[in-house]
Amino acid sequence: DAKTTQPPSMDCAEGRAANLPCNHSTISGNEYVYWYRQIHSQGPQYIIHGLKNNETNEMASLIITEDRKSSTLILPHATLRDTAVYYCIVRTTRNSGGSNYKLTFGKGTLLTVNP
Amino acid sequence: EAQVTQNPRYLITVTGKKLTVTCSQNMNHEYMSWYRQDPGLGLRQIYYSMNVEVTDKGDVPEGYKVSRKEKRNFPLILESPSPNQTSLYFCASSSGFLEQFFGPGTRLTVL
């Protein structure tokens, strides 16, 4: 699976949009971009994933550049409860018989939403 | 409500005393997995299971055992716990490459 690079920390004001970047310059054609977050010591929580088109759900939007070498997770109106470590994960969805669906977590970005 | 449950949530034990951490999911997922999380090391996979009676080692399996006798349950067994197994443990489940659901975590301290 491709390696990702994220800033270690970011701040955001409550009510404003939080834009979390992720670089994945070695991504290959069959690899998706997934975002998870972990609120302090809780289990990681799935946010969104995409291949090449922009995606939106009730939690966030995912913008993937045309060359797919980077992406941005957007939380449109951040709240204090969005303070968490956000993980960008790139992995293949090609399951070659017996493959592990393991998620490889990096260090992520600690997003702190300030009042 | 779709969920993964783990028990116990907190456990303090002593070296060598066998323990089991249970994990159960109600989503009929084929895939289940155990991770441990340690400061500076992130989340690392211990064992995983692709389906009933199918289990395999992850990245850090030493000192752990698992079983998958039923689809919904995937217990993690520490036959002889040691202090280096003090950690935060998470169970997860999914249907293929779709989103993985994680349990609330079990904080284990081995003295």
Side-chain angles (χ1 to χ4, degrees):
Chain A
D1 294 338
K3 183 181 168 67
T4 62
T5 304
Q6 300 178 252
S9 64
M10 294 182 66
D11 286 323
C12 177
E14 188 177 19
R16 304 297 293 267
N19 297 279
L20 293 97
C22 180
N23 285 320
H24 31 79
S25 58
T26 61
I27 193 169
S28 59
N30 65 346
E31 289 180 318
Y32 280 67
V33 180
Y34 290 77
W35 284 84
Y36 281 76
R37 73 179 182 183
Q38 186 177 23
I39 297 169
H40 181 63
S41 293
Q42 296 181 21
Q45 177 190 21
Y46 166 84
I47 301 172
I48 199 167
H49 76 280
L51 181 63
K52 54 183 177 182
N53 297 320
N54 297 337
E55 302 287 345
T56 296
N57 63 20
E58 65 277 3
M59 288 183 69
S61 295
L62 174 60
I63 309 297
I64 302 174
T65 58
E66 193 168 339
D67 63 7
R68 302 208 325 121
K69 293 184 186 300
S70 65
S71 60
T72 301
L73 178 74
I74 301 172
L75 308 178
H77 306 286
T79 71
L80 299 178
R81 289 180 295 179
D82 292 321
T83 292
V85 177
Y86 287 77
Y87 298 98
C88 170
I89 299 168
V90 172
R91 68 168 188 182
T92 183
T93 57
R94 181 177 299 162
N95 184 17
S96 54
S99 286
N100 186 352
Y101 300 123
K102 178 179 74 172
L103 292 168
T104 301
F105 291 85
K107 297 189 187 303
T109 296
L110 173 59
L111 174 70
T112 302
V113 181
N114 300 305
Chain B
E1 179 191 355
Q3 61 180 351
V4 177
T5 57
Q6 295 179 226
N7 282 293
R9 295 288 314 280
Y10 302 90
L11 179 61
I12 300 174
T13 189
V14 295
T15 299
K17 186 176 181 182
K18 181 179 179 180
L19 67 92
T20 299
V21 183
T22 64
C23 172
S24 183
Q25 50 95 3
N26 63 359
M27 294 164 280
N28 201 37
H29 287 160
E30 298 85 13
Y31 178 81
M32 298 185 74
S33 178
W34 277 102
Y35 294 84
R36 62 178 287 175
Q37 185 172 30
D38 303 287
L41 297 175
L43 284 126
R44 296 176 292 168
Q45 189 185 55
I46 304 171
Y47 267 95
Y48 67 98
S49 170
M50 299 295 286
N51 215 323
V52 175
E53 302 291 0
V54 181
T55 63
D56 207 346
K57 297 177 181 178
D59 299 318
V60 288
E62 294 76 23
Y64 305 94
K65 285 175 59 177
V66 293
S67 69
R68 188 91 182 274
K69 294 184 170 59
E70 306 165 280
K71 201 171 190 178
R72 64 183 294 124
N73 296 323
F74 190 44
L76 179 70
I77 303 157
L78 285 73
E79 296 255 344
S80 183
S82 63
N84 65 11
Q85 292 178 298
T86 292
S87 188
L88 180 58
Y89 291 87
F90 293 104
C91 179
S93 74
S94 72
S95 180
F97 283 106
L98 300 177
E99 68 173 287
Q100 282 195 20
F101 291 80
F102 284 79
T106 294
R107 189 169 291 280
L108 172 66
T109 301
V110 183
L111 303 175

